Amino acid sequence: MAQRNGGGKRGDGKMRGGGQFATRMGVVAVTVGSAVGLGNIWRFPFEAGAGGGGAFLLLNVIMVLVVGVPVVCAEFIIGRHTGASATSAFRKLVGERRGRIWGLVGASGLLASVLILGFYSVVAGWTLEYAVTAAGEGFGGKNAADLHERFGAMSADPLRAVGWTLAFLVINYAVLRRGVEKGIERMANVLMPLLFLILAAFCVNSLLLPGTGEGLRFLFEPDFSKITPRVVLSAMGQAFFSLSLGLGCLITYSSYFPKNVPLVRTASMTAGLDLLVAVMAGVVIFPAVFTFGQEVAAGPRLVFEVLPSIFGGMPGGRVWGVLFFLLLAMASLTSTVSMSEISIAWLTREKGMSRRKAVNVNMAVATVLGVMCALSFGCINGWRVCDLTVFELFDFVASNVLLPLGGMMISVFVGWVLSRGVVRSELIQGTVHRSGKQMGCVVSAIVFCLRWVAPVCIAIVFVAGLID
Ligand code: TRP
């Protein structure tokens, strides 16, 4: 992926030469690969658990449909039309002077990407630790209280927490240093479907647990009394986070899309698959939560306490456990590499740094932020802003503030500033199964969402959620 980001230098969108994804399948695989990660399997269940289950899921689906898909299309339009990455695409479209204001999207994306990298690495570090434990002592015979204590002891122990975070960051560093080449992408293309299959097997397993009914009711039956402005804001933040939206990641990716890729279809498929994986994770987690007497609103620790209780009771649980956590770490790696690449691309292209130096700077920043997040479960747990620990604060500021604001600017830009002709031609290109009239309706609907629905919705949810 990084290679492709690097290829963006090649300038003019229409002459992108070799820096393109070869097939439509490849385009979908890479975009879904960026979207699917800890956001679906770790973040969605705990956000849903805290936000009332069904009510959160419903809001999340609405947000994905009315805000998520249109903004994904908007990022795709900007990226494919300019063939440039987020920090320079706007300047290319509206000139140096006006481009500066829109460049704020790039700046906030930059900040969001390192904040996310910080807390994401901590969670990815936990997955490594859990993979190693699953391979060694295993999780058999542990009850809910044991697992709760185990997680608490691991995350609060400064050496273990920081050690595993650094272990993950070193892997991330090694991949980035080599230039991402095709290796990691190809590996992800094989491993992501495998993760999907394992998740499907776990779903079946969870559906046979005694707590299935209660778990599924919690996930699918909306309790409207649970809906507060803060829950709506979280559901919107989750949609942005999970779709990798709002910081220009998808602008960069789509600059390598061939012209024959239908953007609306790709956006819908990405959103659909991304939601499916999140719902599957919910179907795995919630029946187990009720079966093993765990706490739905446990926050970031939820998945790490619930999954081991499932493996513990499955035949061959040890193998399942190792496989699952390793695949999750792998899925995280494809996400962190793409996040890191945002600042690396900025440092190399706009600041003239060598790639080697840029990767070092990225690693240094990620290390400082990652260590702070890792320690926030233990010795600096008392450092709080508005009652949020450093870890929670980074997640909140990035997912619920910077990503939605970035998304709002992107949708206003495509809805109001970019010429309608460009929007229309990008959206229509590559579509073969729809009549002109049908596509006309689709284009109008998306433009309407980008002009009115998404910006207004984001603004209201954002303000109401923050003052709640
Ligand atoms: N979407 C990824 C996940 O769900 C995380 C991610 C990757 C991301 N790149 C991003 C989030 C860019 C926001 C912006 O795990």
Side-chain angles (χ1 to χ4, degrees):
M1 282 175 250
Q3 281 262 310
R4 295 187 162 151
N5 285 354
K9 262 187 248 169
R10 238 166 279 136
D12 194 318
K14 276 134 210 128
M15 300 178 31
R16 266 167 293 155
Q20 282 193 348
F21 296 135
T23 60
R24 288 183 185 202
M25 213 23 237
V27 165
V28 173
V30 173
T31 316
V32 173
S34 141
V36 172
L38 289 171
N40 309 63
I41 293 167
W42 159 77
R43 198 175 186 280
F44 174 80
F46 89 71
E47 285 283 342
F56 183 89
L57 176 59
L58 179 69
L59 290 169
N60 186 240
V61 172
I62 295 174
M63 287 299 173
V64 167
L65 292 179
V66 300
V67 181
V69 174
V71 180
V72 173
C73 290
E75 291 208 17
F76 282 175
I77 292 169
I78 298 176
R80 186 164 72 178
H81 186 69
T82 57
S85 58
T87 38
S88 52
F90 294 96
R91 252 181 291 140
K92 230 171 166 175
L93 286 169
V94 292
E96 196 63 46
R97 206 168 53 83
R98 280 171 74 204
R100 261 200 217 127
I101 300 173
W102 295 103
L104 280 177
V105 177
S108 88
L110 220 52
L111 177 62
S113 71
V114 287
L115 293 180
I116 295 175
L117 188 57
F119 73 82
Y120 210 94
S121 311
V122 175
V123 183
W126 295 340
T127 61
L128 290 179
E129 203 265 3
Y130 271 69
V132 171
T133 306
E137 62 186 276
F139 296 107
K142 294 208 166 33
N143 62 26
D146 297 334
L147 291 170
H148 185 76
E149 200 187 304
R150 183 186 188 287
F151 179 86
M154 177 210 57
S155 58
D157 178 346
L159 277 184
R160 269 158 90 194
V162 171
W164 286 108
T165 304
L166 292 182
F168 180 79
L169 279 172
V170 167
I171 301 174
N172 188 50
Y173 178 76
V175 174
L176 289 168
R177 256 310 265 276
R178 285 174 175 226
V180 182
E181 306 271 350
K182 293 209 179 86
I184 186 169
E185 194 186 301
R186 236 180 251 158
M187 197 151 54
N189 287 351
V190 176
L191 294 178
M192 301 294 275
L194 198 59
L195 183 71
F196 188 82
L197 286 181
I198 293 198
L199 208 55
F202 288 169
C203 279
V204 175
N205 183 68
S206 270
L207 292 175
L208 301 172
L209 292 172
T212 301
E214 211 177 336
L216 295 185
R217 231 172 294 126
F218 178 78
L219 180 62
F220 292 114
E221 230 173 65
D223 171 358
F224 293 100
S225 69
K226 292 276 164 50
I227 298 182
T228 62
R230 189 51 83 95
V231 171
V232 186
L233 178 63
S234 299
M236 185 168 80
Q238 171 63 21
F240 275 92
F241 187 91
S242 194
L243 290 170
S244 307
L245 269 189
L247 53 74
C249 222
L250 297 183
I251 295 183
T252 309
Y253 272 5
S254 53
S255 64
Y256 310 108
F257 285 6
K259 283 288 178 200
N260 68 354
V261 168
L263 296 186
V264 183
R265 221 171 96 177
T266 307
S268 320
M269 261 169 87
T270 306
L273 283 171
D274 190 57
L275 260 181
L276 178 67
V277 175
V279 170
M280 281 167 80
V283 170
V284 172
I285 301 293
F286 291 112
V289 169
F290 290 100
T291 305
F292 300 107
Q294 283 148 327
E295 179 56 54
V296 269
R301 58 196 302 154
L302 177 72
V303 169
F304 288 92
E305 290 179 16
V306 176
L307 283 171
S309 56
I310 305 177
F311 306 140
M314 276 168 86
R318 183 169 290 220
V319 178
W320 285 111
V322 176
L323 208 61
F324 183 80
F325 283 119
L326 281 184
L327 287 173
L328 194 51
M330 187 62 219
S332 314
L333 189 63
T334 58
S335 294
T336 52
V337 163
S338 75
M339 274 172 228
S340 310
E341 200 54 38
I342 293 176
S343 46
I344 293 171
W346 177 67
L347 289 172
T348 50
R349 284 182 210 168
E350 319 233 337
K351 299 288 152 202
M353 237 181 230
S354 69
R355 178 167 178 94
R356 203 172 151 160
K357 210 162 161 199
V359 173
N360 290 345
V361 170
N362 176 268
M363 174 73 177
V365 174
T367 303
V368 172
L369 299 180
V371 167
M372 283 170 70
C373 289
L375 293 177
S376 73
F377 288 82
C379 46
I380 61 167
N381 191 257
W383 295 12
R384 280 167 193 260
V385 179
C386 301
D387 207 34
L388 299 175
T389 63
V390 176
F391 180 101
E392 290 161 342
L393 184 72
F394 283 12
D395 184 8
F396 185 84
V397 170
S399 316
N400 293 357
V401 180
L402 296 174
L403 299 187
L405 285 184
M408 177 149 84
M409 288 190 68
I410 288 167
S411 67
V412 168
F413 183 83
V414 174
W416 295 96
V417 180
L418 203 59
S419 91
R420 183 69 86 90
V422 168
V423 174
R424 183 187 299 275
S425 76
E426 285 296 338
L427 287 179
I428 289 180
Q429 270 197 64
T431 44
V432 280
H433 301 301
R434 301 252 181 272
S435 68
K437 202 167 159 207
Q438 274 175 327
M439 271 325 284
C441 292
V442 172
V443 171
S444 303
I446 288 176
V447 170
F448 180 74
C449 279
L450 290 174
R451 288 192 150 195
W452 301 104
V453 185
V456 171
C457 184
I458 296 172
I460 294 174
V461 172
F462 184 68
V463 173
L466 282 191
I467 55 183
D468 182 26

